[in-house]
Amino acid sequence: MLIIDGKGFPISSIKIIEKGSRTKMPRSFPLDHVRNIGIIAHIDAGKTTVTERILYYTGKTYKIGEVHEGTTVMDWMEQERQRGITITAAATTCHWKEHRINIIDTPGHVDFTAEVERSLRVLDGGVVVFDAVAGVEAQSETVWRQADKYGVPRICFINKMDRVGADLYRCLSMIEERLRAKPILVQLPIGKESSFCGIIDLVERKAWTYDGKIDSKSQEIEIPDEEKDKVERYRQILIEKLAEDDDHILSTYLEGCDIAADDIKAALRKITLANKGIPVLCGSALKNKGTRLLLDAVIDYLPSPLDMPPVTAIHVRTGDKITRIASDEAPFAALAFKVVADPFVGRLVYLRVYSGRIKAGAQVYNSTRSKKERIGRLMLMHANRYEEVNDADTGSIVAAMGLKETFTGDTLSEATQQVILESIIFPEPVLSVAIEPKTRADRDKMGEALQKLAEEDPTFKVAYNDETGQTVISGMGELHVEVIISRMLGEYKVSAKVGNPRVAYKETIKTSAKAEGRFIRQSGGRGQYGQVSIEIEPVERGSGFKFIDKIKGGVLSKPFILAAKNGIKEAMETGGSAGYQVVDVQVTLYDGSYHEVDSSELAFKMAGSMAFKKGFNRAHPVILEPVMKLELITPGQFLGDVVGDVSSRRGRIDLIETRGETSTIRCKVPLSETFGYTTVLRSLTQGRATHSMEFYQYRELPAELASELRDKAIGKK
């Protein structure tokens, strides 16, 4: 339904904040006064609530949005407001104490892990939010590993300190044990659980109290007498941790001198930037306690673009590794990390500018795809609203219109200085659903909608099954696929029949084998001839496809070798003995023959495909199934029932941890056994247990189940 405003104009899902002439993006913020940060955490830890408070206190918004009311700025999609979760990473810009802070609020649900992946790829720092009651949860570990992968310095915010069961010190030990990090506590709470009313800063020996009201300012007070000994004890621990990595703090400490707050801050910043320690803060975002101190910590401890190492790139023409320093004067280089297809405004490409400067209307070069592009307009994003700007300088995160051939992971650079930045690698989908349009008109609408949704989300795949005539869509889990379908039906108005979820099985081999592929067709006139000999071998799980060319002496020309390789890749895609995609194999092409007249690339493509299928069937093929990492939190009285149910689902228990009346179970369960698990768990535990799940790895399917799948595949054929 098209929504019309009071003047008769359509209201887009993306709204303009400021109309009129373009404003020049201010360089009144020196580069060392810019912070590009992400808010990351497990689902329900309070990321979006933290971001909403930051926007309010920095003056970006004039009313605090609440997740439970569906009024947040950052969760602007209809799906997000209905479900009360973040689905897509939303970007915004705000200002605090003469610093510009670019923020990306990321999803916490594992099904949308790609949003976290691409955000961390382009950010300089992160704020990791933890629930003070739950501590380190399953998805907390996932986002932490993603931040480690990209070397992102971070600070921790222990949220929900006012909840029953909140335990700051347990959270610290969990960060140390489960994340193998070095937490450095810089704040202490005043009060506990419902009596939590203030925060003590260990660095400056200052204390503040809060009344929880939105517009009330914190009151600075003297440190309560009953807290003074604890403050000195934990300040001592803070200094000792800093002394392990900072020589100045160590020498001052050994001399017995009191260490100034500025020296502690400088050491904390240095250790944070080097990823040797993590400052830990506390508060309650919902009750407006600790947000301003968190903003101060972002500026004090997280890096500017100048603090990060120069970005490494590959020179397109020479293939050499080169660096791009963070400077407006350096050659332009930017990474496209997100594509949004808005039904009214058009296609938006989010860019992180690593070096140089770009103006609206300028021509750029897509080094990844070897194509020239023109930037139409540049916008500073504020969730689904934008402010048009004239140019984007180093360190900026902006959205560009007019880039038709640029996709997630592509590099934009100057045509005379072509470089390719490190791209973003996304996990493969593990769940599939078949969909069919209800009418012929819906077929075209569905194709266009799925294309736009696939451009937005690299973990969402679309394929057409020739045998069944169905379109098969694949995603990272039940919720991911459900949201995609809801968007297709709601946003794009497509009527379609939706099948039941299916597991994305894969196939591989256990031994090596040799095979010959010979494609010969003779029907008068010019025929077809191609012959190749290959060896197929298993490789380490997760390695993908490796092709080795061992043709010597010009037995086959390069085009024929490439054609054979393409035929092998196509055979892998169409599936092995059970019809599933083949992965983790190495194919060596070691011999072949051709005919002067009859040989063609098509013949060698067919020969490569035939050889692969023969070799695959000789190499003891096996079916692989996706296995999920499952974490359950249940009252102790239901522990036996929950463990028994997990075991009945072919689950492997890794750990059972009991704390008070609550037990935590960590286990691995095949994805095929988890459909409808939420309902079963609720019935087993009277609705009192919670669980979270993420993809772990592909494992070999037991022989009897693999045999059943193969029999079904033969029956379909």
Side-chain angles (χ1 to χ4, degrees):
M1 183 178 68
L2 185 64
I3 302 172
I4 307 296
D5 69 10
K7 296 180 181 178
F9 293 104
I11 300 173
S12 164
S13 60
I14 293 188
K15 308 180 185 89
I16 301 175
I17 292 177
E18 296 181 10
K19 294 181 180 178
S21 60
R22 289 176 177 158
T23 57
K24 186 175 181 180
M25 186 180 287
R27 191 37 106 186
S28 52
F29 292 97
L31 204 49
D32 62 348
H33 280 215
V34 173
R35 301 287 183 272
N36 291 316
I37 67 164
I39 313 291
I40 56 177
H42 183 92
I43 191 169
D44 285 338
K47 297 176 303 302
T48 301
T49 303
V50 168
T51 310
E52 292 294 323
R53 269 53 183 180
I54 287 174
L55 295 180
Y56 182 78
Y57 290 123
T58 57
K60 190 71 180 181
T61 57
Y62 301 99
K63 181 185 176 185
I64 289 182
E66 301 292 358
V67 173
H68 57 274
E69 294 174 1
T71 57
T72 58
V73 172
M74 302 306 278
D75 286 351
W76 58 271
M77 284 174 59
E78 191 61 35
Q79 288 284 327
E80 293 177 313
R81 294 187 169 179
Q82 286 175 2
R83 298 170 187 272
I85 61 170
T86 302
I87 291 171
T88 182
T92 189
T93 300
C94 58
H95 304 120
W96 183 254
K97 294 188 176 178
E98 300 180 350
H99 285 69
R100 184 171 80 205
I101 305 175
N102 298 317
I103 302 173
I104 296 181
D105 175 33
T106 63
H109 198 285
V110 66
D111 283 13
F112 309 106
T113 188
E115 293 289 328
V116 184
E117 186 82 22
R118 59 176 160 200
S119 299
L120 287 172
R121 168 64 184 84
V122 298
L123 292 169
D124 299 325
V127 175
V128 188
V129 182
F130 294 97
D131 183 324
V133 180
V136 176
E137 299 172 86
Q139 188 64 6
S140 308
E141 294 185 60
T142 304
V143 298
W144 196 273
R145 284 197 304 271
Q146 288 172 305
D148 281 341
K149 175 181 172 182
Y150 293 111
V152 177
R154 66 216 86 143
I155 59 179
C156 294
F157 181 69
I158 311 298
N159 192 25
K160 305 185 181 182
M161 287 295 298
D162 53 347
R163 284 185 59 201
V164 175
D167 190 337
L168 173 66
Y169 308 103
R170 175 174 173 263
C171 289
L172 283 174
S173 64
M174 290 179 81
I175 290 170
E176 203 161 9
E177 291 166 15
R178 288 182 64 167
L179 304 180
R180 293 182 177 85
K182 181 181 176 182
I184 304 175
L185 192 62
V186 295
Q187 291 177 352
L188 289 177
I190 300 175
K192 188 179 180 183
E193 298 178 347
S194 59
S195 64
F196 171 64
C197 62
I199 293 170
I200 301 169
D201 187 320
L202 296 174
V203 177
E204 298 192 0
R205 288 193 179 102
K206 290 182 179 179
W208 294 269
T209 57
Y210 305 86
D211 60 13
K213 294 178 183 176
I214 292 173
D215 292 315
S216 298
K217 289 194 174 178
S218 55
Q219 295 287 325
E220 187 173 341
I221 60 167
E222 288 290 323
I223 295 174
D225 291 339
E226 63 272 17
E227 299 287 347
K228 284 182 178 176
D229 288 345
K230 187 194 252 186
V231 168
E232 290 308 313
R233 187 168 77 253
Y234 276 96
R235 194 174 193 271
Q236 188 77 0
I237 293 170
L238 163 64
I239 290 168
E240 287 172 3
K241 285 193 173 185
L242 294 178
E244 292 173 8
D245 294 295
D246 189 279
D247 293 339
H248 175 67
I249 296 290
L250 177 62
S251 60
T252 311
Y253 175 67
L254 292 175
E255 288 167 9
C257 302
D258 190 47
I259 301 171
D262 286 347
D263 288 342
I264 293 177
K265 282 186 179 180
L268 264 171
R269 179 176 180 79
K270 180 176 149 191
I271 287 168
T272 305
L273 298 188
N275 275 314
K276 292 182 178 178
I278 316 287
V280 178
L281 297 83
C282 62
S284 171
L286 186 65
K287 299 295 176 62
N288 313 302
K289 298 175 182 178
T291 309
R292 291 183 177 95
L293 295 177
L294 174 61
L295 278 164
D296 289 342
V298 166
I299 288 165
D300 289 340
Y301 307 129
L302 290 182
S304 74
L306 288 176
D307 294 313
M308 301 302 287
V311 65
T312 304
I314 303 294
H315 195 286
V316 172
R317 287 174 186 161
T318 65
D320 296 333
K321 280 190 177 182
I322 59 171
T323 56
R324 284 281 181 262
I325 60 168
S327 167
D328 289 347
E329 312 308 317
F332 172 70
L335 185 73
F337 67 94
K338 184 178 172 73
V339 176
V340 175
D342 183 82
F344 299 102
V345 173
R347 193 170 187 270
L348 288 171
V349 179
Y350 283 60
L351 304 173
R352 161 67 197 266
V353 182
Y354 281 98
S355 63
R357 193 180 194 112
I358 192 68
K359 290 187 176 181
Q363 190 178 77
V364 293
Y365 191 81
N366 186 326
S367 308
T368 308
R369 301 181 188 275
S370 303
K371 291 186 177 179
K372 291 180 180 178
E373 291 263 55
R374 187 171 296 279
I375 291 178
R377 295 153 70 191
L378 289 168
M379 278 87 74
L380 270 181
M381 298 306 297
H382 180 48
N384 65 324
R385 302 162 185 250
Y386 67 82
E387 174 187 348
E388 196 165 342
V389 293
N390 239 353
D391 52 16
D393 45 35
T394 299
S396 299
I397 292 178
V398 292
M401 288 182 68
L403 299 172
K404 296 177 182 177
E405 299 292 332
T406 299
F407 298 89
T408 300
D410 288 359
T411 300
L412 299 180
S413 62
E414 293 178 13
T416 56
Q417 298 276 349
Q418 298 172 24
V419 296
I420 295 180
L421 300 168
E422 180 191 353
S423 189
I424 312 167
I425 299 171
F426 296 103
E428 285 294 312
V430 295
L431 195 75
S432 300
V433 168
I435 55 173
E436 294 178 15
K438 287 186 177 178
T439 67
R440 186 167 292 182
D442 284 317
R443 184 184 302 165
D444 295 335
K445 284 166 65 179
M446 188 176 83
E448 186 181 340
L450 292 177
Q451 181 188 347
K452 288 180 178 178
L453 290 167
E455 281 185 15
E456 287 186 23
D457 187 348
T459 57
F460 169 60
K461 305 289 185 188
V462 182
Y464 184 75
N465 189 319
D466 291 319
E467 291 181 5
T468 62
Q470 293 175 317
T471 299
V472 179
I473 61 172
S474 304
M476 298 304 297
E478 283 185 273
L479 181 61
H480 185 204
V481 173
E482 188 183 321
V483 167
I484 290 285
I485 292 169
S486 297
R487 289 188 63 193
M488 184 185 75
L489 301 178
E491 287 179 31
Y492 294 95
K493 310 296 183 232
V494 177
S495 296
K497 299 174 188 174
V498 181
N500 293 322
R502 297 182 302 183
V503 176
Y505 293 104
K506 297 184 187 297
E507 294 186 70
T508 191
I509 54 173
K510 296 185 77 172
T511 61
S512 60
K514 292 185 176 181
E516 179 190 57
R518 188 185 292 267
F519 184 75
I520 303 173
R521 292 288 183 276
Q522 198 69 46
S523 56
R526 182 177 175 181
Q528 294 284 358
Y529 180 89
Q531 184 265 324
V532 295
S533 297
I534 65 167
E535 182 175 12
I536 179 171
E537 301 168 84
V539 291
E540 189 179 344
R541 191 82 72 241
S543 300
F545 169 58
K546 295 181 180 178
F547 180 80
I548 298 175
D549 173 13
K550 281 196 175 177
I551 295 293
K552 293 179 180 175
V555 172
L556 294 178
S557 64
K558 288 292 179 187
F560 291 164
I561 294 171
L562 183 59
K565 179 182 176 182
N566 290 335
I568 291 165
K569 288 173 74 174
E570 268 192 26
M572 290 176 64
E573 288 295 325
T574 52
S577 56
Y580 300 111
Q581 181 190 3
V582 178
V583 296
D584 304 334
V585 295
Q586 176 176 293
V587 177
T588 303
L589 176 62
Y590 63 88
D591 199 5
S593 63
Y594 69 97
H595 189 277
E596 290 286 352
V597 177
D598 291 349
S599 285
S600 66
E601 290 182 26
L602 174 62
F604 274 92
K605 186 176 180 181
M606 294 299 295
S609 177
M610 292 164 68
F612 179 82
K613 287 176 180 177
K614 282 184 192 174
F616 180 82
N617 289 326
R618 293 172 184 169
H620 293 88
V622 292
I623 296 176
L624 303 175
E625 65 174 340
V627 175
M628 310 302 283
K629 188 188 291 184
L630 179 64
E631 181 167 302
L632 300 140
I633 300 172
T634 177
Q637 68 194 86
F638 305 113
L639 180 62
D641 292 336
V642 173
V643 169
D645 183 66
V646 167
S647 299
S648 73
R649 295 170 183 270
R650 296 192 286 125
R652 297 181 187 176
I653 307 291
D654 294 331
L655 173 76
I656 298 176
E657 185 180 66
T658 301
R659 178 175 173 263
E661 296 180 0
T662 304
S663 294
T664 300
I665 306 163
R666 300 172 75 188
C667 54
K668 311 288 192 318
V669 183
L671 176 63
S672 60
E673 303 286 349
T674 64
F675 294 149
Y677 185 61
T678 302
T679 306
V680 173
L681 185 64
R682 282 175 184 159
S683 65
L684 283 174
T685 62
Q686 299 173 10
R688 294 169 63 190
T690 60
H691 77 289
S692 59
M693 193 162 47
E694 66 171 303
F695 173 70
Y696 176 60
Q697 65 176 192
Y698 271 89
R699 280 185 181 164
E700 186 177 336
L701 187 69
E704 64 275 11
L705 295 175
S707 180
E708 285 179 24
L709 283 179
R710 287 197 179 93
D711 290 344
K712 285 181 184 177
I714 293 168
K716 284 179 183 177
K717 290 176 183 176

